[in-house]
Amino acid sequence: MVDMPAQNPQRIVLPPHRERARRPRIVRFREWARRNLFNSRAGTALTIITAAILALIVYGVVYFVFVDANWRVITENRWLLFAGGYPMDQEWRLWFSVMFVFLLIGLTYGTWASLGRRDHLFIVLASGFAILLLAHGGAAIWSTIWYLIAVGLLYAGYAIMIRMPREAGPGRTLQQRSVAGLLIAALPIILIVLLAFGGARPRELEGFVLNLVLAPVGIAGGLVIAIPLALGRASRMRAISWTCTTYIEVVRGAPLLGWLFVALFILDDVIGGELIVRAMVVLAVFTAAYMAEYIRGALQALPGGQSEAAHAVGLNQFQSMQLIVMPQALRISIPPMVGQAISIWKDTTLVTVILPLRELKGNADSAIAQFEFTPDRIEAYVFVAVVFWVVAFIMSRISQRVEGSLGIGER
Amino acid sequence: MTQGIYVALTAVVIGYVYTSLDLREFGFGFLSEPAAFKVGNQWLTDVDGVTNSRITMYLVGVWSSLRAVLVAIALSTVIGVLIGVARLSSNWLVAQMAMLYVEIFRNTPLLVQVVLVYTILLIGAPLIENVVNVGDFFFISNRGMAMPWPVPDSGFWGTPDWFVGVWVAALLAIGFVAQRVRADRQGRERETGQPHYPNRWALGVFAVGAVISFFALGAPVSIDEPVIVGTHYIEGMVMEPEFTALVAGLTLYTSAFIAEIVRGGIQALPRGQTEAANAVGLSGYQRLTLVILPQALRQIIPSVTNQYLNINKNSSLAYAVLYDDLFRVANIVQNKAGHALEMFFVIIVTYMLISFAISVVMNFFNARVTAQRI
Amino acid sequence: MTTETEATPTRDLESMEDIIIAENVDKWFGDFQALDNISMRIKEHEIVVVLGPSGSGKSTFIRCLNRLEEHDAGRIVIDGIEMNDDVRNLNAIRSEVGMVFQQFNLFPHLSVMNNITLGPRKVRRMPKLDADALAMQLLERVGIPEQAEKYPAQLSGGQQQRVAIARALAMQPKIMLFDEPTSALDPEMIKEVLDVMQELARSGMTMIVVTHEMGFAREVADRLIFFDEGSLVEEGTPQHFFENPQEDRTKLFLSQIL
């Protein structure tokens, strides 16, 4: 070994930086405000106008929420909105599912991300919102306790996982594999808990529970169909690529409502079965067409050298797909896939529009159909909007954090 | 080999679907039978459904869909670009407000937005008995907004209604002439170096030509002012709450997505472009319209086209607020006459045709924007 | 090259007015102080070359001179116009100060001609014909009149930078700022840009140039300024700098770069 030269003559090496004086916080705040709020006369005017509009909106919202609105339409109908026709004596199945999902969220966060101050704040706020709803009437104490146990499970799962070492190794692999396996198994487990062994009949899934069942089924089913579809469209065999292309384009050609129309009137003759199952099939088939396009986009974005390199090390076509190409393509396509998942989450409301299935929005319609609550239509729909917003927000937040820790989008 | 198995399998599946459907009465003849139902939200059409065929009623529904889609596309583009630019404002408060807008409207279901707007319009607006009357020509109530509107007229020569068409044709011809005048003046300006005011001349030629031809044809257009009779508006243009709710919902929802697309397109540009524009001395508005947006459009247009296609498909939510768009009319026809398969076929073909038209127009713009390789 | 330098008329800078005055300028990026109490005066027609290691604040300083960065404290006066929050002052200053960037920053969607005429037409409201004539004149001055109708992507780096110089000159500025104008260029293209800058210097333009081109600094500059860690460490004539630097940090820097 020859000694390396002490420094590369081309590189400029500086003496260490001297300590930079920290300025007082108030000085920095004043400077920040001047630069971001009052940077010119026009900027100041803009700030004042915007602040005035904001004040008006805040006033309107506060007045509506605390003075004008009658929230009894929600609190009185909370079972209807949440579970609808689900048999009340089987309530424990719902709570079990809630706890399971919260535990999963905790495990996922603990494994691939970490909870920041904002996340804690969000959990506190969302829990306050939930308890405000639950802490009314008969079984209020018990529902509150169940809910708090669920939050406790979230933190317990998180606390266990966050303490595991993050360095790559057999332990980390085992941790990741088991959490991922649990995530994949979650949907079947929950469906079994909800429906099997004396649980509800499928048509008794209603209200918010129905949204919470439909969306994951649509997303998971869609993904399962989408992967072969994307590969098929990219296939060199004419017949395969042609049928896959036709499938994708035809499905994307009509709105989801149109396909639900098919579920109602046409699929009856083809696959039969419960309407809710047909709706699930349609959701999966519909989602698949969009997801296949995202995967195809990701496949095209992959450098061609990847599959060539895979062949060069002796992998066959199938192995190169399974080990090299697909993992990368799925990774690239995660952000648009999450967008699609959120989109499907919102679209689960559409089953109410033409099908006789009552999810959250549909049961909100039922709630305000009661004579007592007809004046409270706005309250009911605002509540529905807020609930959907919260879940969509959680979905986008989790995916952002997990994407961040997987380094997706940083290429 | 694989291909053969695949084709055989597909054939089996198609065969199964084919045999399980009841196709004995398959056919489109039922569409030409009399409709026997009414369709609301008509504009510029006047069909009562008694003598009209089902296909006519369906086309009226298509026209209603198109109206909502076009208005929603225009509004959501304008608002989306504004919000997207505001997201990147140097003013912190403006940027935060824009973010709030995006987060709220992107993460709530479109259905709930449409229904919520509709409910607010019905509950919040005054009853027609207490209508808000602006100068006897503009009305707001929970039956909608009514305003004056030009309609074909026999004019003072007593000419038939289709003279409006003649006038529109004349306007096109005059526009062509004005365009020639503009090009000619521009050419002379280039040659002589003296100002020849091509734009002012073209505008003047067009205005004078329009007025002269209007009166030469006997003023075939008159203004129709709305009046309230009983609990209904008659005449004028009426924007019903159903239409407003649908368009407002589509606009709020889609503009949030367009805002994110615009923001992404702008952020993808190198920072140096903004700095160079500043160094040249361009104002904020000039910087945006002359330097930033023309470049960002390359990335924005394809994604925005997708949003326009979504507006087209999402317009089917009209069903939830009882706006008689194509999807709702198709459902009514299906309820009356059955033939679900045929009706679905008609629906999907219609949506695809509209999507195709949108794509053609947007591809034209895209080709213009990407004509220069950069 | 040397003969050219000797041909440069010796200018009587002493009698000239101060066109740039900076007094006690501070600039912070969050907790990081990028400029620490910078004061300097630059006379009309003076050619100043700014040296310093990367991150020393030299680019930040010249970007403050046309407000691509806002300074936090102190004052900057350009040609008698105070640099403050007043938009009119800012516009007046930006039309007096031209800037050339390391990465050229040409507008890729506009032809060379339109790149140059954009400012005059939209800011100065110059008629298109006059602006086009001006642009052609400038393109001839930077030696690429035949490229007028091409687009930036079709030009070499050196040609692009020359267009960028023409674009800045089209606003008829009194001062030109160059932020490492040759750092992004292939070696064989550096000379064509430096030649244009040298010609510009001879024509009497006031120039502030951030560069690592020591040949240019030695031959063209009236004054050299050395920045380090946000402070102005040393200034003087090229002769002083290259033959007799005073400060240790200057010596270290020069020993590494020469």
Side-chain angles (χ1 to χ4, degrees):
Chain A
M1 283 289 281
V2 188
D3 273 358
M4 294 291 285
Q7 62 191 50
N8 183 336
Q10 297 290 308
R11 255 187 74 215
I12 299 163
V13 179
L14 274 175
H17 269 256
R18 86 189 122 91
E19 274 298 305
R20 304 282 180 188
R22 265 184 154 263
R23 288 166 309 151
R25 184 162 286 193
I26 182 72
V27 173
R28 277 185 292 165
F29 175 74
R30 218 180 293 143
E31 178 191 305
W32 175 88
R34 189 180 62 77
R35 199 166 284 159
N36 295 302
L37 294 175
F38 310 107
N39 58 354
S40 63
R41 228 172 282 172
T44 307
L46 194 60
T47 303
I48 291 172
I49 294 171
T50 317
I53 297 174
L54 183 65
L56 266 178
I57 295 174
V58 169
Y59 172 78
V61 169
V62 168
Y63 181 80
F64 173 75
V65 171
F66 294 104
V67 182
D68 196 33
N70 172 17
W71 294 111
R72 277 186 53 244
V73 62
I74 308 301
T75 51
E76 297 281 298
N77 293 301
R78 62 174 192 276
W79 178 265
L80 173 70
L81 293 170
F82 183 67
Y86 198 85
M88 267 188 156
D89 52 352
Q90 302 293 324
E91 190 187 355
W92 65 271
R93 293 169 187 268
L94 297 176
W95 280 115
F96 179 87
S97 309
V98 169
M99 287 175 197
F100 186 54
V101 168
F102 273 48
L103 177 67
L104 274 180
I105 293 177
L107 294 176
T108 309
Y109 251 73
T111 309
W112 286 289
S114 60
L115 290 169
R117 203 196 305 167
R118 281 186 182 196
D119 299 304
H120 292 298
L121 183 70
F122 181 79
I123 292 174
V124 169
L125 284 178
S127 300
F129 179 64
I131 290 173
L132 204 67
L133 269 175
L134 296 168
H136 279 272
I141 306 289
W142 280 111
S143 346
T144 311
I145 290 173
W146 295 136
Y147 180 80
L148 287 176
I149 291 176
V151 176
L153 280 172
L154 191 158
Y155 275 105
Y158 176 72
I160 294 170
M161 285 304 159
I162 201 77
R163 277 181 179 70
M164 304 250 185
R166 289 263 169 120
E167 294 79 49
R172 175 72 175 156
T173 314
L174 181 69
Q175 178 198 12
Q176 286 183 336
R177 290 236 168 115
S178 40
V179 175
L182 213 53
L183 280 173
I184 292 170
L187 183 58
I189 291 176
I190 288 178
L191 284 179
I192 288 169
V193 170
L194 287 181
L195 301 174
F197 309 118
R201 281 167 300 170
R203 77 181 58 147
E204 287 172 337
L205 291 176
E206 265 192 44
F208 194 45
V209 173
L210 179 54
N211 298 103
L212 290 172
V213 168
L214 282 181
V217 168
I219 293 162
L223 196 57
V224 168
I225 308 175
I227 293 173
L229 210 53
L231 293 176
R233 183 164 187 175
S235 163
R236 241 171 285 136
M237 280 178 256
R238 276 278 181 75
I240 295 179
S241 85
W242 192 83
T243 38
C244 290
T245 307
T246 313
Y247 172 100
I248 291 171
E249 294 305 330
V250 168
V251 168
R252 290 174 358 129
L256 180 56
L257 273 187
W259 292 108
L260 291 172
F261 176 95
V262 171
L264 185 62
F265 295 115
I266 300 170
L267 274 191
D268 198 12
D269 298 335
V270 180
I271 56 176
E274 293 251 15
L275 180 59
I276 192 169
V277 177
R278 279 180 270 148
M280 286 174 178
V281 170
V282 161
L283 269 177
V285 162
F286 182 79
T287 314
Y290 289 82
M291 287 187 164
E293 280 299 90
Y294 295 131
I295 298 174
R296 187 175 71 110
L299 285 174
Q300 285 175 342
L302 275 191
Q306 289 296 320
S307 64
E308 281 167 23
H311 290 303
V313 294
L315 299 180
N316 67 28
Q317 180 79 30
F318 183 77
Q319 286 169 322
S320 121
M321 254 310 151
Q322 186 207 345
L323 299 173
I324 309 294
V325 176
M326 256 317 174
Q328 295 188 58
L330 287 179
R331 221 171 126 98
I332 297 176
S333 58
I334 281 183
M337 291 287 215
V338 172
Q340 185 60 35
I342 295 176
S343 170
I344 275 300
W345 164 245
K346 291 176 294 183
D347 280 349
T348 54
T349 49
L350 296 190
V351 298
T352 294
V353 176
I354 64 170
L355 303 186
L357 295 177
R358 311 239 68 88
E359 46 68 66
L360 178 58
K361 191 261 170 190
N363 277 349
D365 289 339
S366 317
I368 55 181
Q370 303 163 60
F371 180 71
E372 184 188 356
F373 295 117
T374 41
D376 306 324
R377 283 176 280 175
I378 295 181
E379 285 88 330
Y381 293 133
V382 166
F383 172 79
V384 174
V386 170
V387 170
F388 273 95
W389 185 87
V390 168
V391 177
F393 185 80
I394 294 174
M395 286 166 82
S396 67
R397 192 92 187 121
I398 292 180
S399 80
Q400 272 173 20
R401 300 301 295 270
V402 175
E403 274 165 35
S405 75
L406 291 179
I408 289 164
E410 299 160 15
R411 287 200 294 154
Chain B
M1 176 61 186
T2 330
Q3 209 159 171
I5 297 171
Y6 178 80
V7 171
L9 270 176
T10 318
V12 169
V13 171
I14 293 177
Y16 170 72
V17 173
Y18 185 81
T19 47
S20 60
L21 292 170
D22 187 3
L23 294 174
R24 275 168 301 181
E25 291 181 4
F26 190 86
F28 291 91
F30 69 100
L31 280 173
S32 47
E33 286 164 28
F37 61 85
K38 286 194 171 148
V39 164
N41 315 101
Q42 295 188 36
W43 186 57
L44 299 185
T45 53
D46 186 20
V47 293
D48 57 11
V50 176
T51 53
N52 313 95
S53 65
R54 287 169 178 151
I55 189 77
T56 311
M57 304 310 272
Y58 179 72
L59 290 175
V60 170
V62 172
W63 170 225
S64 296
S65 291
L66 282 176
R67 250 156 40 219
V69 168
L70 290 178
V71 176
I73 284 179
L75 288 178
S76 59
T77 308
V78 173
I79 297 177
V81 171
L82 284 178
I83 300 282
V85 171
R87 277 281 257 134
L88 298 171
S89 167
S90 60
N91 188 310
W92 180 83
L93 196 59
V94 172
Q96 294 299 306
M97 287 277 278
M99 193 187 76
L100 197 67
Y101 179 97
V102 169
E103 289 298 336
I104 288 177
F105 293 112
R106 199 173 55 154
N107 283 337
T108 43
L110 175 57
L111 172 69
V112 179
Q113 290 181 32
V114 171
V115 171
L116 194 52
V117 173
Y118 187 55
T119 315
I120 291 173
L121 286 178
L122 288 189
I123 295 183
L127 299 175
I128 196 153
E129 289 80 16
N130 319 324
V131 69
V132 177
N133 183 339
V134 184
D136 261 349
F137 62 85
F138 187 81
F139 302 95
I140 301 176
S141 76
N142 65 0
R143 303 248 167 178
M145 286 187 295
M147 61 194 92
W149 195 258
V151 290
D153 190 4
S154 54
F156 44 76
W157 304 142
T159 51
D161 280 359
W162 51 263
F163 262 48
V164 179
V166 175
W167 186 51
V168 171
L171 281 185
L172 287 176
I174 296 164
F176 181 72
V177 172
Q179 176 63 32
R180 296 297 313 163
V181 169
R182 179 163 173 267
D184 177 51
R185 299 240 146 215
Q186 272 177 338
R188 270 198 269 170
E189 193 171 83
R190 216 169 287 129
E191 275 168 30
T192 60
Q194 301 297 317
H196 275 88
Y197 308 108
N199 289 331
R200 290 182 212 178
W201 265 88
L203 214 64
V205 166
F206 186 78
V208 170
V211 171
I212 291 177
S213 59
F214 181 69
F215 287 107
L217 290 170
V221 176
S222 68
I223 301 295
D224 199 11
E225 293 201 356
V227 253
I228 297 177
V229 176
T231 57
H232 290 277
Y233 297 112
I234 57 170
E235 321 254 294
M237 189 182 62
V238 183
M239 265 174 61
E240 288 121 340
E242 294 84 28
F243 178 83
T244 314
L246 177 63
V247 169
L250 287 172
T251 302
L252 292 172
Y253 187 75
T254 315
S255 61
F257 284 90
I258 292 182
E260 283 301 273
I261 293 167
V262 169
R263 181 182 68 101
I266 292 178
Q267 277 183 331
L269 295 183
R271 237 181 95 71
Q273 291 295 312
T274 308
E275 292 183 347
N278 282 338
V280 168
L282 298 181
S283 71
Y285 178 77
Q286 287 174 328
R287 185 178 69 213
L288 193 66
T289 53
L290 297 172
V291 176
I292 303 299
L293 281 182
Q295 297 182 56
L297 276 183
R298 292 167 168 268
Q299 203 184 329
I300 289 173
I301 287 187
S303 311
V304 163
T305 306
N306 260 331
Q307 291 302 321
Y308 290 172
L309 300 181
N310 284 346
I311 290 184
N312 172 34
K313 286 178 272 179
N314 287 336
S315 69
S316 57
L317 281 173
Y319 193 95
V321 289
L322 310 183
Y323 177 74
D324 286 319
D325 75 325
L326 71 93
F327 186 69
R328 193 171 136 77
V329 176
N331 266 277
I332 298 174
V333 172
Q334 197 273 334
N335 276 340
K336 297 254 172 202
H339 293 279
L341 195 59
E342 293 90 326
M343 264 344 276
F344 180 71
F345 188 71
V346 170
I347 293 170
I348 188 170
V349 167
T350 316
Y351 278 115
M352 280 180 153
L353 283 176
I354 301 174
S355 290
F356 180 70
I358 293 174
S359 305
V360 167
V361 173
M362 293 310 287
N363 284 343
F364 170 75
F365 279 120
N366 199 30
R368 285 192 56 170
V369 169
T370 51
Q372 180 54 46
R373 204 179 58 81
I374 59 177
Chain C
M1 286 294 262
T2 30
T3 50
E4 268 180 31
T5 330
E6 281 159 9
T8 314
T10 44
R11 285 163 299 162
D12 182 15
L13 286 173
E14 290 304 310
S15 67
M16 287 294 167
E17 296 282 319
D18 287 335
I19 196 167
I20 297 177
I21 303 171
E23 285 175 357
N24 311 101
V25 173
D26 284 352
K27 169 73 189 170
W28 297 80
F29 292 111
D31 286 335
F32 177 77
Q33 188 166 17
L35 293 179
D36 187 0
N37 200 19
I38 305 292
S39 298
M40 72 167 70
R41 283 161 183 267
I42 294 172
K43 293 193 178 295
E44 207 168 348
H45 306 310
E46 194 174 356
I47 315 294
V48 176
V49 167
V50 183
L51 302 173
S54 55
S56 61
K58 55 191 194 309
S59 285
T60 308
F61 177 67
I62 74 163
R63 286 157 63 87
C64 281
L65 295 181
N66 69 346
R67 223 180 207 209
L68 289 179
E69 306 285 358
E70 280 179 54
H71 57 288
D72 293 313
R75 55 196 291 246
I76 297 177
V77 180
I78 309 275
D79 200 20
I81 309 166
E82 177 92 35
M83 176 99 68
N84 55 18
D85 289 342
D86 193 327
V87 179
R88 281 165 302 176
N89 283 6
L90 177 61
N91 288 341
I93 288 173
R94 287 217 169 122
S95 66
E96 301 235 322
V97 181
M99 174 121 186
V100 175
F101 300 89
Q102 181 178 359
Q103 299 294 343
F104 330 136
N105 291 350
L106 290 179
F107 304 130
H109 62 301
L110 299 177
S111 68
V112 165
M113 184 60 110
N114 285 334
N115 259 283
I116 300 174
T117 58
L118 186 71
R121 285 174 58 198
K122 299 298 176 181
V123 180
R124 290 274 161 79
R125 303 278 162 207
M126 192 187 271
K128 183 173 171 13
L129 277 175
D130 299 356
D132 286 356
L134 173 68
M136 277 318 289
Q137 201 185 323
L138 289 169
L139 282 174
E140 266 160 36
R141 190 166 168 192
V142 300
I144 41 174
E146 71 283 358
Q147 311 287 1
E149 294 311 321
K150 288 198 181 163
Y151 282 79
Q154 297 164 308
L155 302 183
S156 72
Q159 289 171 329
Q160 289 193 46
Q161 193 61 297
R162 287 192 275 166
V163 172
I165 294 173
R167 179 177 71 179
L169 290 175
M171 295 299 285
Q172 289 156 331
K174 287 190 175 169
I175 305 164
M176 286 282 280
L177 308 175
F178 292 84
D179 189 0
E180 307 202 18
T182 54
S183 301
L185 294 176
D186 293 336
E188 71 271 21
M189 295 170 183
I190 290 176
K191 187 174 173 304
E192 64 186 59
V193 172
L194 289 182
D195 285 350
V196 169
M197 289 169 62
Q198 220 154 22
E199 186 272 329
L200 199 59
R202 273 199 299 273
S203 76
M205 177 69 73
T206 312
M207 288 165 62
I208 306 179
V209 185
V210 173
T211 188
H212 295 296
E213 292 296 325
M214 289 303 145
F216 180 84
R218 199 191 290 266
E219 287 166 28
V220 183
D222 296 308
R223 181 153 52 125
L224 261 57
I225 293 178
F226 177 67
F227 269 72
D228 193 14
E229 295 196 10
S231 325
L232 198 164
V233 176
E234 189 165 4
E235 60 181 314
T237 61
Q239 200 182 7
H240 158 87
F241 239 83
F242 290 113
E243 285 159 21
N244 191 21
Q246 299 297 313
E247 300 283 332
D248 291 342
R249 283 195 275 175
T250 318
K251 288 176 193 162
L252 178 66
F253 175 73
L254 289 173
S255 73
Q256 283 168 341
I257 202 152
L258 287 176

